[in-house]
Amino acid sequence: MDTIRVSPTSGSTAVAGMIAGRMRESRYVELEAADAGAVNEAIKAVAIARGYLKLDGIDIVVVPSFVEVGIDERKRSSLRLVLEARSQSQLW
Amino acid sequence: MDTIRVSPTSGSTAVAGMIAGRMRESRYVELEAADAGAVNEAIKAVAIARGYLKLDGIDIVVVPSFVEVGIDERKRSSLRLVLEARSQSQLW
């Protein structure tokens, strides 16, 4: 499944809608965020998507890691956010 | 346990050290981040702390939600990031 690239102007509710759709389908989503504004937008989107998925009984956990993007001298590190589902029953 | 308030200038490695210490002790940490720079710093800190905790066999998952902070007209929403441990054996 393709990684969703989040930018500072992606719109957290739009990203939340995409996250919710994919979580329902495959219980797994990968986001990539290259700067502070994008990371903020991505994390807000997850907080919103958790609300959308409540009735489906799906909760989301985020596992962040660094990833190198670009080539040669233009390499820089970006954040990869892996989203995984856990059933809400595991919360208790 | 007290919430760690992260700011854009907290320093992600310093926050990562705090996170790692508390995760070893109690397997649970709460972060609060009020703006984009703080959210970015907090998520980078978690990515770094995951490396620190690898030898302890502890992995971290992040559960983000919104929280209202401040009083009266000065209320605004901030992000709460609950960090929970999962043992690395659960990853496979």
Side-chain angles (χ1 to χ4, degrees):
Chain A
M1 182 93 65
D2 292 344
T3 297
I4 301 175
R5 285 196 172 67
V6 183
S7 86
T9 56
S10 292
S12 48
T13 54
V15 178
M18 279 194 276
I19 291 172
R22 292 207 191 173
M23 289 303 282
R24 284 190 192 102
E25 264 175 47
S26 61
R27 303 287 195 271
Y28 182 92
V29 179
E30 273 188 29
L31 305 179
E32 199 176 295
D35 57 37
V39 173
N40 183 49
E41 207 72 355
I43 296 295
K44 286 198 296 184
V46 174
I48 296 165
R50 290 184 65 220
Y52 293 169
L53 291 168
K54 213 161 227 173
L55 283 178
D56 301 274
I58 300 169
D59 198 15
I60 306 174
V61 296
V62 184
V63 183
S65 59
F66 292 104
V67 58
E68 293 275 307
V69 290
I71 45 164
D72 301 331
E73 319 82 66
R74 311 195 54 173
K75 259 186 196 158
R76 59 196 187 117
S77 89
S78 186
L79 273 170
R80 171 179 292 147
L81 305 172
V82 170
L83 313 187
E84 296 173 23
R86 64 172 174 190
S87 71
Q88 298 198 325
S89 57
Q90 287 177 262
L91 292 175
W92 312 107
Chain B
M1 183 92 64
D2 293 344
T3 298
I4 300 173
R5 285 194 173 69
V6 183
S7 87
T9 56
S10 292
S12 48
T13 54
V15 177
M18 280 194 276
I19 290 171
R22 292 209 190 170
M23 288 303 282
R24 284 190 192 103
E25 263 175 49
S26 60
R27 303 289 195 270
Y28 183 92
V29 178
E30 272 187 33
L31 305 179
E32 199 177 295
D35 58 36
V39 173
N40 183 49
E41 207 71 354
I43 296 296
K44 286 197 298 185
V46 174
I48 296 166
R50 291 184 66 220
Y52 294 169
L53 291 168
K54 212 161 227 174
L55 284 177
D56 302 273
I58 300 169
D59 198 15
I60 306 173
V61 297
V62 184
V63 183
S65 57
F66 292 103
V67 58
E68 292 275 308
V69 291
I71 44 165
D72 300 332
E73 320 84 66
R74 310 195 56 175
K75 258 186 196 160
R76 60 196 185 114
S77 90
S78 185
L79 272 170
R80 171 180 291 146
L81 305 172
V82 169
L83 314 186
E84 295 175 23
R86 64 171 172 189
S87 70
Q88 297 197 326
S89 59
Q90 285 178 263
L91 293 175
W92 311 108

